[in-house]
Amino acid sequence: MRSFSVSGINTYLSCPRKFYFTNVEHLPQDREEQSKRFGLSNIIHAALADYHAGAGGDWSLLDAALSAHWDPHLFSDSRHAADSYHKARWMLWESFSHISSGNPVRFAYSFEHPFAGSRLRGRIDRIDESNGSLVVIDYALGAHKPVHGDWGLQIYAAAVAKIFQKSVAAVRIIQLGELDGIHEIVAEDARRIEGDVSRLCATMEADKEFAPKPERHCLFCSYATICDAAWRDEARRTVPGGKRPNELFRLFCAVEILMNAGDSMAAFRRCVDASIRQLHSSAASFWLDEHPVSDDVRRILETGTETEGEIALENETVRLLPGTSIIVPIASCCIALFPEQVSRTAAEILGRSLRIALDRVLNYQAAAVDGLTGLFRRELCTRELESTRDRKRTVIIADIDRFKTINDTYGHDAGDAAIRLVARILREQSGGVAYRLGGEEFVLLTPDDDMEFAAAQAEGIRLSIEKTPFVFFDKEISLTASLGVASSCGREDPEETLKRADQALYRAKQSGRNRVERAPTAPAET
């Protein structure tokens, strides 16, 4: 029994040729995959699932779930991650009254169930029970855009009615971030929907031509480079041998992914793994900081040239074996392995692109990142404040208490270790970008003016520093920090916000250290 999905049906209805590329040839969809890696949707839906798994509750539970699932390395750079965190938090807060109401009986419900003579695969955000019937709920980011008259949602409603043997009264779309973001449609007759889907599935099964539906959307389709309907020049409709340039399309998508490699090595690694799989689904990468390498593999890295063979992990060592795959070294940190179905030319082009992308990330790191802590340098903090002076923001300044005493008593190596520990705690904070101002002083910039949230975050940083054991050469050293918090007001000059946070830090020092002080709100502009 063949399985199908609502997204596949909607793709077929918009363009059978696109359905063919996606579901039959299984060509990559670069823009959709890109949005999965760098978007908010997966994180927000995971947080909502955890919130419902805990039987709901107050806002703090959902807020904690979002923080627990947050991974800044999924975003292209630190500023993007911080902006996205506060955007996600705001969207969930605005819609919390809708999220917390109702009586959920299922959430994050994935299924594959007999339906319409086939097997329907799907995932439903939430199913509520109300007055003996069910309500299917979909969490949507942004404005609701009906697709084919909401028919896809009607299919889900019909499937739920069949699975649970209960009537479905309505499908409700909760638009996250909208105060009045409720869009509701009445569920249609489940048997009629199933009959319509059955006839459409039979048509799709029998379709051997998958004729395109050329419209203006062809200009923006991911498959425009390989679809005959998107070509306007008759002479270029085919390539020699009658084959479409699928590998060229894959290579283009792979290189495009590298353009979003970001400013951190963690984000770069994700992009490398995604780009090589874009060229071929069975391609693999071996990161050499995780395992030692044999002498023959080291020679490949030193020469930097592509060769044929296989790479395998034997006794925790990366070794070279005979084979027909293409081995592509990426500087000294990684090896990409492509099956023989990939042309050597495509593998070499992608390998060169990977090395260029790595150089760009390393050069950025050398110029922008403090060598001791891994935090951004003071110069970037100043540049960020200048370039975003019209934005709301909160500034948290942290300073290690009695740092000179640590240096004088235990030596400068102990002082450096203390600085690295505090930097690690700041770097792990969601929704902010951390900088080292100099010496033992740090700043965390958040793109939001929520003083309550920033003060709570500063208190969490203070507690983490106080409670994290700091041991240097078997000596446990007391380590605390004082923090000052200030939020922008109106069109206040960012340097003034920074100055008010520094003054709050000074008061924290004068009041006994190891505490958080808030700056008073700046006078509003007249």
Short mmCIF file of all heavy atoms in Angstrom, two decimals, residues 103-146:
data_model
loop_
_atom_site.label_atom_id
_atom_site.label_comp_id
_atom_site.label_asym_id
_atom_site.label_seq_id
_atom_site.Cartn_x
_atom_site.Cartn_y
_atom_site.Cartn_z
N ASN A 103 -8.65 21.78 25.64
CA ASN A 103 -8.43 20.50 26.31
C ASN A 103 -7.70 19.54 25.36
O ASN A 103 -8.32 18.72 24.70
CB ASN A 103 -9.77 19.90 26.76
CG ASN A 103 -9.59 18.58 27.48
OD1 ASN A 103 -8.56 18.34 28.11
ND2 ASN A 103 -10.58 17.70 27.37
N PRO A 104 -6.38 19.66 25.25
CA PRO A 104 -5.64 18.82 24.30
C PRO A 104 -5.69 17.34 24.68
O PRO A 104 -5.49 16.98 25.84
CB PRO A 104 -4.21 19.36 24.39
CG PRO A 104 -4.32 20.71 25.02
CD PRO A 104 -5.51 20.63 25.93
N VAL A 105 -5.97 16.49 23.69
CA VAL A 105 -5.90 15.05 23.90
C VAL A 105 -4.73 14.44 23.14
O VAL A 105 -4.31 13.32 23.43
CB VAL A 105 -7.21 14.36 23.47
CG1 VAL A 105 -8.35 14.79 24.36
CG2 VAL A 105 -7.55 14.66 22.01
N ARG A 106 -4.21 15.14 22.14
CA ARG A 106 -3.00 14.74 21.42
C ARG A 106 -2.23 16.01 21.06
O ARG A 106 -2.81 17.07 20.87
CB ARG A 106 -3.33 13.99 20.13
CG ARG A 106 -3.93 12.61 20.30
CD ARG A 106 -2.89 11.60 20.78
NE ARG A 106 -3.41 10.24 20.69
CZ ARG A 106 -4.23 9.67 21.54
NH1 ARG A 106 -4.69 10.39 22.58
NH2 ARG A 106 -4.63 8.43 21.39
N PHE A 107 -0.92 15.90 20.96
CA PHE A 107 -0.10 17.03 20.53
C PHE A 107 1.13 16.46 19.83
O PHE A 107 1.58 15.34 20.12
CB PHE A 107 0.31 17.90 21.73
CG PHE A 107 0.90 17.14 22.88
CD1 PHE A 107 2.25 16.86 22.93
CD2 PHE A 107 0.09 16.67 23.89
CE1 PHE A 107 2.79 16.13 23.97
CE2 PHE A 107 0.61 15.94 24.94
CZ PHE A 107 1.97 15.67 24.98
N ALA A 108 1.66 17.22 18.88
CA ALA A 108 2.78 16.76 18.06
C ALA A 108 2.51 15.33 17.60
O ALA A 108 3.37 14.44 17.68
CB ALA A 108 4.10 16.85 18.83
N TYR A 109 1.31 15.11 17.08
CA TYR A 109 0.83 13.75 16.78
C TYR A 109 1.25 13.35 15.36
O TYR A 109 0.75 13.86 14.37
CB TYR A 109 -0.70 13.72 16.92
CG TYR A 109 -1.33 12.38 16.61
CD1 TYR A 109 -0.98 11.26 17.34
CD2 TYR A 109 -2.26 12.25 15.59
CE1 TYR A 109 -1.56 10.02 17.07
CE2 TYR A 109 -2.84 11.03 15.31
CZ TYR A 109 -2.48 9.91 16.06
OH TYR A 109 -3.04 8.70 15.78
N SER A 110 2.21 12.43 15.27
CA SER A 110 2.66 11.90 13.98
C SER A 110 1.99 10.56 13.74
O SER A 110 1.85 9.74 14.65
CB SER A 110 4.18 11.73 13.96
OG SER A 110 4.83 12.98 14.14
N PHE A 111 1.59 10.33 12.50
CA PHE A 111 0.87 9.09 12.20
C PHE A 111 1.11 8.66 10.76
O PHE A 111 1.54 9.44 9.92
CB PHE A 111 -0.63 9.29 12.43
CG PHE A 111 -1.26 10.29 11.49
CD1 PHE A 111 -1.79 9.90 10.26
CD2 PHE A 111 -1.30 11.64 11.82
CE1 PHE A 111 -2.36 10.82 9.40
CE2 PHE A 111 -1.86 12.57 10.96
CZ PHE A 111 -2.39 12.16 9.75
N GLU A 112 0.87 7.41 10.50
CA GLU A 112 0.77 6.85 9.15
C GLU A 112 -0.35 5.82 9.22
O GLU A 112 -0.21 4.76 9.84
CB GLU A 112 2.08 6.21 8.69
CG GLU A 112 2.00 5.70 7.25
CD GLU A 112 3.35 5.26 6.70
OE1 GLU A 112 4.38 5.71 7.22
OE2 GLU A 112 3.36 4.44 5.76
N HIS A 113 -1.47 6.16 8.61
CA HIS A 113 -2.69 5.40 8.84
C HIS A 113 -3.40 5.14 7.52
O HIS A 113 -3.35 5.96 6.60
CB HIS A 113 -3.61 6.20 9.78
CG HIS A 113 -4.72 5.40 10.37
ND1 HIS A 113 -5.95 5.27 9.76
CD2 HIS A 113 -4.80 4.69 11.52
CE1 HIS A 113 -6.73 4.52 10.52
NE2 HIS A 113 -6.06 4.16 11.59
N PRO A 114 -4.06 3.95 7.38
CA PRO A 114 -4.83 3.69 6.14
C PRO A 114 -5.87 4.77 5.90
O PRO A 114 -6.65 5.11 6.79
CB PRO A 114 -5.48 2.34 6.42
CG PRO A 114 -4.60 1.69 7.44
CD PRO A 114 -4.09 2.79 8.30
N PHE A 115 -5.86 5.31 4.68
CA PHE A 115 -6.79 6.38 4.34
C PHE A 115 -6.88 6.47 2.82
O PHE A 115 -5.87 6.48 2.12
CB PHE A 115 -6.31 7.72 4.91
CG PHE A 115 -7.28 8.85 4.74
CD1 PHE A 115 -8.35 9.01 5.61
CD2 PHE A 115 -7.13 9.76 3.69
CE1 PHE A 115 -9.24 10.06 5.46
CE2 PHE A 115 -8.02 10.81 3.53
CZ PHE A 115 -9.09 10.95 4.41
N ALA A 116 -8.10 6.50 2.31
CA ALA A 116 -8.35 6.68 0.87
C ALA A 116 -7.66 5.62 0.03
O ALA A 116 -7.16 5.89 -1.06
CB ALA A 116 -7.90 8.07 0.43
N GLY A 117 -7.61 4.38 0.53
CA GLY A 117 -7.01 3.28 -0.23
C GLY A 117 -5.50 3.27 -0.20
O GLY A 117 -4.88 2.42 -0.84
N SER A 118 -4.88 4.20 0.51
CA SER A 118 -3.43 4.24 0.66
C SER A 118 -3.12 4.45 2.14
O SER A 118 -3.96 4.18 3.00
CB SER A 118 -2.85 5.38 -0.19
OG SER A 118 -3.14 5.19 -1.55
N ARG A 119 -1.91 4.91 2.41
CA ARG A 119 -1.54 5.23 3.78
C ARG A 119 -1.16 6.71 3.84
O ARG A 119 -0.26 7.16 3.13
CB ARG A 119 -0.37 4.36 4.26
CG ARG A 119 -0.71 2.88 4.33
CD ARG A 119 0.40 2.10 5.00
NE ARG A 119 0.52 2.42 6.41
CZ ARG A 119 -0.20 1.85 7.38
NH1 ARG A 119 -1.12 0.96 7.07
NH2 ARG A 119 -0.01 2.19 8.64
N LEU A 120 -1.86 7.45 4.69
CA LEU A 120 -1.61 8.88 4.83
C LEU A 120 -0.58 9.10 5.93
O LEU A 120 -0.74 8.65 7.05
CB LEU A 120 -2.91 9.61 5.17
CG LEU A 120 -2.78 11.10 5.50
CD1 LEU A 120 -2.28 11.88 4.30
CD2 LEU A 120 -4.12 11.67 5.97
N ARG A 121 0.52 9.81 5.56
CA ARG A 121 1.52 10.21 6.54
C ARG A 121 1.28 11.67 6.92
O ARG A 121 0.97 12.49 6.06
CB ARG A 121 2.95 10.11 5.97
CG ARG A 121 3.34 8.75 5.48
CD ARG A 121 4.83 8.75 5.10
NE ARG A 121 5.21 9.93 4.34
CZ ARG A 121 5.10 10.04 3.03
NH1 ARG A 121 4.58 9.04 2.33
NH2 ARG A 121 5.48 11.14 2.40
N GLY A 122 1.44 11.97 8.18
CA GLY A 122 1.24 13.36 8.57
C GLY A 122 1.63 13.63 10.00
O GLY A 122 1.98 12.71 10.76
N ARG A 123 1.56 14.90 10.35
CA ARG A 123 1.84 15.32 11.72
C ARG A 123 0.90 16.47 12.05
O ARG A 123 0.81 17.45 11.30
CB ARG A 123 3.29 15.78 11.87
CG ARG A 123 3.69 16.15 13.30
CD ARG A 123 5.15 16.58 13.32
NE ARG A 123 5.64 16.84 14.67
CZ ARG A 123 5.45 17.97 15.34
NH1 ARG A 123 4.78 18.96 14.76
NH2 ARG A 123 5.94 18.13 16.55
N ILE A 124 0.18 16.34 13.16
CA ILE A 124 -0.80 17.33 13.57
C ILE A 124 -0.31 17.98 14.86
O ILE A 124 0.07 17.29 15.81
CB ILE A 124 -2.18 16.69 13.77
CG1 ILE A 124 -2.68 16.11 12.43
CG2 ILE A 124 -3.19 17.68 14.32
CD1 ILE A 124 -3.93 15.30 12.54
N ASP A 125 -0.34 19.30 14.89
CA ASP A 125 0.19 20.01 16.06
C ASP A 125 -0.59 19.68 17.32
O ASP A 125 0.01 19.49 18.39
CB ASP A 125 0.17 21.52 15.81
CG ASP A 125 1.22 21.95 14.79
OD1 ASP A 125 2.22 21.23 14.64
OD2 ASP A 125 1.02 22.99 14.14
N ARG A 126 -1.93 19.60 17.21
CA ARG A 126 -2.71 19.41 18.43
C ARG A 126 -4.13 19.00 18.08
O ARG A 126 -4.67 19.44 17.06
CB ARG A 126 -2.70 20.71 19.22
CG ARG A 126 -3.51 20.74 20.49
CD ARG A 126 -3.25 22.05 21.20
NE ARG A 126 -4.40 22.53 21.93
CZ ARG A 126 -4.52 23.73 22.46
NH1 ARG A 126 -3.54 24.60 22.33
NH2 ARG A 126 -5.61 24.09 23.12
N ILE A 127 -4.71 18.16 18.92
CA ILE A 127 -6.11 17.75 18.78
C ILE A 127 -6.79 17.99 20.12
O ILE A 127 -6.34 17.48 21.15
CB ILE A 127 -6.24 16.27 18.36
CG1 ILE A 127 -5.49 16.01 17.05
CG2 ILE A 127 -7.70 15.88 18.23
CD1 ILE A 127 -5.38 14.54 16.70
N ASP A 128 -7.84 18.81 20.12
CA ASP A 128 -8.60 19.09 21.34
C ASP A 128 -9.93 18.34 21.31
O ASP A 128 -10.44 17.99 20.25
CB ASP A 128 -8.90 20.59 21.45
CG ASP A 128 -7.70 21.36 22.01
OD1 ASP A 128 -6.59 20.80 22.01
OD2 ASP A 128 -7.88 22.52 22.43
N GLU A 129 -10.47 18.11 22.51
CA GLU A 129 -11.80 17.51 22.63
C GLU A 129 -12.74 18.57 23.20
O GLU A 129 -12.42 19.23 24.20
CB GLU A 129 -11.78 16.29 23.53
CG GLU A 129 -13.10 15.54 23.54
CD GLU A 129 -12.99 14.18 24.20
OE1 GLU A 129 -12.02 13.95 24.93
OE2 GLU A 129 -13.89 13.36 23.97
N SER A 130 -13.88 18.75 22.55
CA SER A 130 -14.83 19.76 23.00
C SER A 130 -16.25 19.26 22.76
O SER A 130 -16.64 18.99 21.62
CB SER A 130 -14.60 21.07 22.24
OG SER A 130 -15.56 22.03 22.57
N ASN A 131 -17.00 19.11 23.84
CA ASN A 131 -18.42 18.70 23.78
C ASN A 131 -18.59 17.40 22.98
O ASN A 131 -19.49 17.27 22.15
CB ASN A 131 -19.26 19.80 23.15
CG ASN A 131 -19.23 21.08 23.96
OD1 ASN A 131 -19.21 21.04 25.19
ND2 ASN A 131 -19.20 22.22 23.27
N GLY A 132 -17.70 16.44 23.23
CA GLY A 132 -17.84 15.12 22.61
C GLY A 132 -17.29 15.02 21.20
O GLY A 132 -17.26 13.92 20.63
N SER A 133 -16.85 16.11 20.60
CA SER A 133 -16.25 16.07 19.27
C SER A 133 -14.82 16.60 19.34
O SER A 133 -14.38 17.11 20.38
CB SER A 133 -17.08 16.87 18.27
OG SER A 133 -17.17 18.22 18.68
N LEU A 134 -14.12 16.50 18.23
CA LEU A 134 -12.70 16.88 18.19
C LEU A 134 -12.51 18.18 17.42
O LEU A 134 -13.29 18.51 16.53
CB LEU A 134 -11.87 15.77 17.55
CG LEU A 134 -11.95 14.39 18.23
CD1 LEU A 134 -11.14 13.37 17.45
CD2 LEU A 134 -11.47 14.46 19.67
N VAL A 135 -11.45 18.88 17.77
CA VAL A 135 -11.03 20.09 17.05
C VAL A 135 -9.56 19.92 16.69
O VAL A 135 -8.73 19.69 17.58
CB VAL A 135 -11.22 21.36 17.88
CG1 VAL A 135 -10.70 22.58 17.12
CG2 VAL A 135 -12.69 21.54 18.26
N VAL A 136 -9.25 19.97 15.41
CA VAL A 136 -7.86 19.88 14.95
C VAL A 136 -7.26 21.28 14.98
O VAL A 136 -7.83 22.22 14.44
CB VAL A 136 -7.79 19.29 13.53
CG1 VAL A 136 -6.37 19.30 13.01
CG2 VAL A 136 -8.35 17.86 13.52
N ILE A 137 -6.10 21.41 15.62
CA ILE A 137 -5.46 22.72 15.79
C ILE A 137 -4.10 22.72 15.10
O ILE A 137 -3.30 21.80 15.27
CB ILE A 137 -5.31 23.08 17.28
CG1 ILE A 137 -6.70 23.24 17.91
CG2 ILE A 137 -4.49 24.36 17.47
CD1 ILE A 137 -6.68 23.56 19.37
N ASP A 138 -3.87 23.78 14.33
CA ASP A 138 -2.61 23.95 13.62
C ASP A 138 -1.96 25.25 14.07
O ASP A 138 -2.60 26.30 14.06
CB ASP A 138 -2.85 23.98 12.10
CG ASP A 138 -1.57 24.13 11.32
OD1 ASP A 138 -0.72 23.23 11.40
OD2 ASP A 138 -1.41 25.16 10.62
N TYR A 139 -0.70 25.17 14.52
CA TYR A 139 0.05 26.36 14.90
C TYR A 139 0.75 26.91 13.66
O TYR A 139 1.58 26.22 13.05
CB TYR A 139 1.08 26.04 15.97
CG TYR A 139 0.48 25.71 17.32
CD1 TYR A 139 0.72 24.48 17.92
CD2 TYR A 139 -0.32 26.62 17.99
CE1 TYR A 139 0.17 24.16 19.16
CE2 TYR A 139 -0.86 26.32 19.23
CZ TYR A 139 -0.62 25.09 19.80
OH TYR A 139 -1.16 24.79 21.03
N ALA A 140 0.46 28.14 13.30
CA ALA A 140 1.02 28.75 12.10
C ALA A 140 1.87 29.95 12.46
O ALA A 140 1.49 30.75 13.31
CB ALA A 140 -0.09 29.16 11.13
N LEU A 141 3.04 30.05 11.83
CA LEU A 141 3.90 31.23 12.00
C LEU A 141 3.55 32.22 10.91
O LEU A 141 3.65 31.91 9.73
CB LEU A 141 5.37 30.86 11.91
CG LEU A 141 6.04 30.33 13.19
CD1 LEU A 141 5.46 28.99 13.58
CD2 LEU A 141 7.54 30.23 13.00
N GLY A 142 3.12 33.42 11.31
CA GLY A 142 2.75 34.42 10.32
C GLY A 142 1.30 34.31 9.94
O GLY A 142 0.52 33.53 10.52
N ALA A 143 0.91 35.08 8.94
CA ALA A 143 -0.48 35.13 8.52
C ALA A 143 -0.91 33.82 7.88
O ALA A 143 -0.14 33.14 7.23
CB ALA A 143 -0.69 36.28 7.54
N HIS A 144 -2.17 33.45 8.10
CA HIS A 144 -2.72 32.24 7.52
C HIS A 144 -2.97 32.43 6.03
O HIS A 144 -3.59 33.39 5.60
CB HIS A 144 -4.03 31.86 8.21
CG HIS A 144 -4.75 30.73 7.54
ND1 HIS A 144 -4.22 29.47 7.45
CD2 HIS A 144 -5.95 30.70 6.91
CE1 HIS A 144 -5.09 28.69 6.80
NE2 HIS A 144 -6.13 29.42 6.46
N LYS A 145 -2.45 31.49 5.23
CA LYS A 145 -2.63 31.55 3.79
C LYS A 145 -3.30 30.26 3.33
O LYS A 145 -2.66 29.21 3.30
CB LYS A 145 -1.29 31.73 3.08
CG LYS A 145 -0.59 33.03 3.43
CD LYS A 145 0.75 33.15 2.71
CE LYS A 145 1.44 34.45 3.08
NZ LYS A 145 2.77 34.58 2.44
N PRO A 146 -4.59 30.30 3.04
CA PRO A 146 -5.27 29.08 2.62
C PRO A 146 -4.64 28.48 1.38
O PRO A 146 -4.28 29.19 0.44
CB PRO A 146 -6.70 29.55 2.32
CG PRO A 146 -6.83 30.84 3.07
CD PRO A 146 -5.47 31.46 3.06
#
